């Protein structure tokens, strides 16, 4: 090795060492920032969780982020919250599941008609669907209440007392289904536009009717998008309080968001019970994410 | 088993306020069991024509009939045709068996056993039995192609339509499938319309080929007739690879003056008589008919400089320039012969092999001489 070569190799080693150092310090800084962000975003959740396991005195005497000590540890808030919300959970499930499935199904059908079938005036209809996406809940509250006052659903269902008693929930189902159709249609439409037109034509030549093609080709291929809309709609409808406040009149039909609201004491705020209630109310949406998570990822990345 | 008739079929598309005529007054009669290839450059209307037959496009004017029944208003679902698409268009969520059964389930009332029987027989014919329980995503391009064919064959339709079915395969596989498709078509004897932009496929596969350009039918004839007796300049240039050489030429007395050169090409009286008095002409000669010799020996041979030699093994493709001009000519010589780029040779354009076209209309006025004409042109694949 000549002198010149030697100097070159040392200097290049030096460069590598400096590069490694900068990478390391950069990486350390990156992790520090990430950890900070995680702590920042998780702290409310953590605070809620610790509070839910503390007695009222424990809550008053410790900071919210401190974990419950054995002295103040209790499951009572969970039991109390669950006892109050039990009925609401059942009622919510009763209307959220059909509303979610129906809006996804109708949205998918409408999107199929707007992408893979040809007929006049599609653009006009599509514009209506798009407008529907942007209608705020608040703007329809009054007409909505008036509509359901005009339609005496309980009277119409008088022949079946079980349904008549649940008329509020059926109203919620219909309302949320109608309200969810536009966004579901737009979501499915973007997905169906990527489906191969030649495949639809092949099915047509194979003798399948328009509905046959939907049932046997389009619907089975829509599962990833169904996961997306089911998760999205379930969360939206489950978490809604506004429509429930306007439409649900009888206490026996209170939905989960209303029963969560009931946990608010009139005199003293029992934060531990409220926190436990919030977690109970959120549990089903989290479960839905876990169950449909993989399909959801497929759906939003467009893989089929 | 059916004949397919296209009568003055026209397709217009609205393009804003304008109208585009995609297919212009096309009439073709396709015999029972015939293999017709629709060929032309992209945008010539061949796919639109096929899609009208399939029922995927409406017909603006004219009529399409299977046997003697006009099917203009019959929806695609009830036309008794099967189609193979360029993208194969298999149903990705179904197994090969389900893909092939789908058409039977939707279009017939057969019982499950009969359907399974047909699917299995067809799979055997195409040698894809072992793929029946796999999904399209697990198959290679060539295998998907076979499944797409199988899906069409199993239906046992009156007419087969194929839209560039081989264009997604690699060259080797394509040559193999070309032969296989012909074998199948012979065996099944189903009337077939095959669309392609590839003139080799058109030449080798079709009983007859129909050449389209700009929505208009240029010629319908057997492959060899199109090759040796092109009806116009477009057909002459489109069929054949490498393409025919064209030279603008003007008739003066008994000689053709090649434009852009000082060269004159003597024309015999019998050919001059066919020219119907036209003097503004295009002289055409196929590369394989151009004779390359060391020295010019008669008045149909002209000195050239060879610019490029493309050795193909079995033959050499040459590009040569006429001396004293910029006009170049393509020639094919035997692969065993040595031709040196940059050297001078003589290119002879034999009078028996020339074609002459009217320059303004493109119409063929004279086609090459063929010795055993009947025998050659009657050849059907």
């Amino acid at each position: 090795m000549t002198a010149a070569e030697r100097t070159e190799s040392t200097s290049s080693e030096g460069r590598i060492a400096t590069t490694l150092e900068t990478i390391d310090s950069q990486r350390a800084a990156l992790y520090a920032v990430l950890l900070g962000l995680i702590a920042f975003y998780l702290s409310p959740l953590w605070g809620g969780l610790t509070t839910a396991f503390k007695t009222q005195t424990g809550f008053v005497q410790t900071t919210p982020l401190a974990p419950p000590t054995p002295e103040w540890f209790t499951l009572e808030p969970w039991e109390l919250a669950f006892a109050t919300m039990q009925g609401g959970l059942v009622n919510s499930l009763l209307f959220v599941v059909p509303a979610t499935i129906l809006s996804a199904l109708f949205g998918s059908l409408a999107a199929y008609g707007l992408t893979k079938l040809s007929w006049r005036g599609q653009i006009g209809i599509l514009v209506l669907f798009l407008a529907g996406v942007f209608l705020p809940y608040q703007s329809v509250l009054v007409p909505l209440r008036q509509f359901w006052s005009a339609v005496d659903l309980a009277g119409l269902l008088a022949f079946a007392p079980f349904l008549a008693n649940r008329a509020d929930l059926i109203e919620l189902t219909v309302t949320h289904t109608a309200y969810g159709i536009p966004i579901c249609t737009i979501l499915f439409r973007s997905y169906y536009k990527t489906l191969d037109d030649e495949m639809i034509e092949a099915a047509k030549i194979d003798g399948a009717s328009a509905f046959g093609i939907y049932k046997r080709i389009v619907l089975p291929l829509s599962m990833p998008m169904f996961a997306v809309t089911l998760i999205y709609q379930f969360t939206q409808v489950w978490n809604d309080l506004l429509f429930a406040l306007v439409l649900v009149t009888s206490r026996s039909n209170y939905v989960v968001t209303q029963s969560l609201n009931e946990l608010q004491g009139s005199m003293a705020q029992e934060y531990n019970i409220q926190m436990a209630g919030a977690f109970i109310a959120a549990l089903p949406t989290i479960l839905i994410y876990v169950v449909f998570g993989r399909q959801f990822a497929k759906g939003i990345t467009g893989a089929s | 088993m059916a004949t397919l008739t296209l009568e003055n079929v026209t397709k217009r598309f609205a393009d804003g306020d304008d109208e585009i005529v995609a297919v212009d007054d096309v009439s073709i009669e396709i015999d029972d069991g015939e293999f017709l290839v629709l060929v032309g450059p992209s945008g010539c209307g061949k796919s639109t024509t096929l899609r009208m037959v399939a029922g995927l496009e409406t017909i603006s004017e004219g009529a399409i009939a299977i046997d003697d029944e006009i099917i203009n208003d019959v929806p695609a679902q009830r036309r008794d045709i099967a189609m193979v698409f360029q993208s194969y268009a298999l149903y990705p969520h179904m197994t090969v068996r389900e893909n092939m059964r789908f058409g039977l389930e939707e279009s017939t009332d057969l019982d499950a056993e009969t359907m399974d029987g047909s699917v299995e027989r067809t799979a055997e014919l195409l040698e894809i039995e072992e793929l029946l329980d796999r999904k399209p995503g697990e198959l290679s391009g060539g295998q998907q192609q076979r499944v797409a064919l199988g899906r069409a064959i199993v239906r046992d339709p009156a007419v087969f339509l194929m839209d560039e079915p081989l264009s997604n395969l690699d060259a080797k596989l394509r040559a193999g499938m070309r032969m296989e498709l012909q074998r199948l078509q012979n065996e099944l004897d189903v009337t077939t319309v095959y669309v392609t932009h590839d003139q080799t496929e058109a030449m080798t596969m079709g009983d007859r080929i129909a050449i389209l350009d700009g929505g208009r039918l240029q010629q319908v004839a057997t492959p060899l007739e199109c090759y040796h007796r092109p009806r116009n300049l477009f057909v002459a240039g489109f069929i054949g690879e490498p393409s025919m050489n064209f030279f603008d030429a003007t008739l003066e007395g008994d000689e053709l003056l090649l434009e852009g050169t000082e060269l004159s090409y003597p024309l015999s009286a019998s050919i001059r008589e066919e020219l119907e008095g036209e003097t503004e002409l295009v002289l055409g000669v196929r590369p394989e008919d151009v004779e390359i010799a060391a020295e010019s020996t008669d008045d149909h041979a002209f000195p050239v400089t060879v610019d490029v030699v493309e050795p193909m093994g079995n033959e050499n493709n040459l590009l040569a320039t006429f001396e004293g001009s910029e006009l170049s000519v393509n020639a094919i010589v035997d692969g065993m012969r040595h031709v040196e780029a940059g050297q001078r040779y003589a290119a002879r354009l034999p009078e028996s092999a020339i074609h002459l076209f009217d320059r303004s209309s493109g119409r063929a006025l004279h086609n090459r001489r063929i010795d055993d004409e009947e025998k050659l042109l009657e050849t059907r694949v």
Side-chain angles (χ1 to χ4, degrees), chain A residues 5 12 30 56 64 70 77 81 87 97 119 143-144 158 160 162 176 180 199 206 225 232 235 255 259 275 295 303:
Chain A
E5 274 172 345
S12 79
L30 178 69
Q56 183 70 5
V97 171
W119 42 279
L144 188 66
F162 173 77
H176 276 294
M199 181 179 65
D206 265 347
M225 212 12 104
Y232 178 81
T235 313
V255 300
S259 58
M275 287 303 148
Q295 291 281 325

Side-chain angles (χ1 to χ4, degrees), chain B residues 235-251:
Chain B
V235 174
F238 189 79
I239 300 291
E241 174 68 40
S243 314
M244 189 185 275
N245 293 294
F246 293 122
F247 312 106
D248 285 350
T250 312
L251 182 70

Side-chain angles (χ1 to χ4, degrees), chain A residues 22-87:
Chain A
T22 40
I23 287 179
D24 264 357
S25 58
Q26 272 178 1
R27 188 150 285 205
L30 178 69
Y31 283 143
V33 171
L34 285 178
L35 281 174
L37 283 175
I38 291 171
F40 180 73
Y41 280 107
L42 284 185
S43 58
L45 212 61
W46 172 252
L49 206 59
T50 53
T51 305
F53 285 105
K54 287 177 193 168
T55 59
Q56 183 70 5
T57 1
F59 168 70
V60 177
Q61 302 208 351
T62 57
T63 63
L65 290 178
T69 54
E71 186 189 348
W72 288 315
F73 179 85
T74 173
L75 289 177
E76 207 180 341
W78 294 85
E79 286 156 14
L80 284 172
F82 186 71
T84 316
M85 294 169 68
Q86 222 171 350

Side-chain angles (χ1 to χ4, degrees), chain B residues 214-228:
Chain B
R216 285 173 177 275
L217 198 58
Q218 306 294 319
Q219 187 164 6
V220 188
T222 64
L224 288 178
E225 198 176 337
C226 291
Y227 189 81
H228 294 301

Side-chain angles (χ1 to χ4, degrees), chain A residues 63-132:
Chain A
T63 63
L65 290 178
T69 54
E71 186 189 348
W72 288 315
F73 179 85
T74 173
L75 289 177
E76 207 180 341
W78 294 85
E79 286 156 14
L80 284 172
F82 186 71
T84 316
M85 294 169 68
Q86 222 171 350
L89 279 169
V90 174
N91 287 341
S92 273
L93 275 180
L94 280 180
F95 89 91
V96 174
V97 171
T100 305
I101 293 174
L102 285 177
S103 53
L105 200 63
F106 285 131
S108 146
L109 266 170
Y112 170 65
L114 285 169
T115 49
K116 298 297 175 195
L117 303 180
S118 63
W119 42 279
R120 267 169 206 281
Q122 285 197 13
I123 298 293
I125 302 288
L126 180 65
V127 169
L128 287 179
F129 275 108
L130 264 177

Side-chain angles (χ1 to χ4, degrees), chain B residues 276-342:
Chain B
E276 303 170 13
E278 300 289 346
T279 54
E280 302 288 294
L281 306 168
V282 175
L283 169 69
V285 59
R286 293 211 178 268
E288 66 269 27
D289 291 325
V290 177
E291 294 166 11
I292 298 290
E295 303 249 327
S296 89
T297 45
D298 66 12
D299 49 6
H300 288 134
F302 309 97
V304 293
T305 310
V306 172
D307 301 319
V308 183
V309 180
E310 283 182 347
M312 307 287 286
N314 60 335
E315 59 190 28
N316 291 315
N317 290 348
L318 311 180
L319 184 69
T321 314
F322 288 108
E323 237 157 60
S325 74
E326 296 195 344
L327 199 64
S328 55
V329 60
N330 255 316
I332 295 177
V333 298
D334 191 80
M336 302 305 277
R337 201 174 140 196
H338 180 71
V339 179
E340 187 94 25

Side-chain angles (χ1 to χ4, degrees), chain A residues 108-109 111-117 187-203 210 212-226 298-299 302-304, chain B residues 87 89-93:
Chain A
S108 146
L109 266 170
Y112 170 65
L114 285 169
T115 49
K116 298 297 175 195
L117 303 180
L187 284 171
F188 274 108
R189 184 172 176 272
S190 65
Y191 185 66
Y192 289 164
K193 283 180 82 143
T194 65
L195 282 186
D196 181 14
D197 280 331
E198 286 195 343
M199 181 179 65
I200 306 293
E201 289 172 349
I213 295 172
Y214 175 76
K215 200 179 74 182
R216 298 197 56 191
I217 309 284
V218 176
L219 191 61
L221 290 175
S222 307
M223 287 311 146
M225 212 12 104
F226 265 101
K298 270 193 191 174
S304 51
Chain B
S87 66
L90 299 175
Y91 314 126
H93 57 298

Side-chain angles (χ1 to χ4, degrees), chain A residues 196 198-210 212-213 216-218 220-221, chain B residues 51 54 56 77 81 83 85 87 89-94 102-103 105-107 151 155:
Chain A
D196 181 14
E198 286 195 343
M199 181 179 65
I200 306 293
E201 289 172 349
K204 207 191 252 184
I205 290 176
D206 265 347
S209 62
I213 295 172
R216 298 197 56 191
I217 309 284
V218 176
L221 290 175
Chain B
R51 291 172 59 84
L56 299 173
Q77 282 91 340
I81 47 174
M83 184 155 166
F85 291 85
S87 66
L90 299 175
Y91 314 126
H93 57 298
M94 297 184 189
F102 184 84
E105 288 167 7
E106 293 292 334
S107 64
R151 191 172 63 177
R155 298 257 320 274

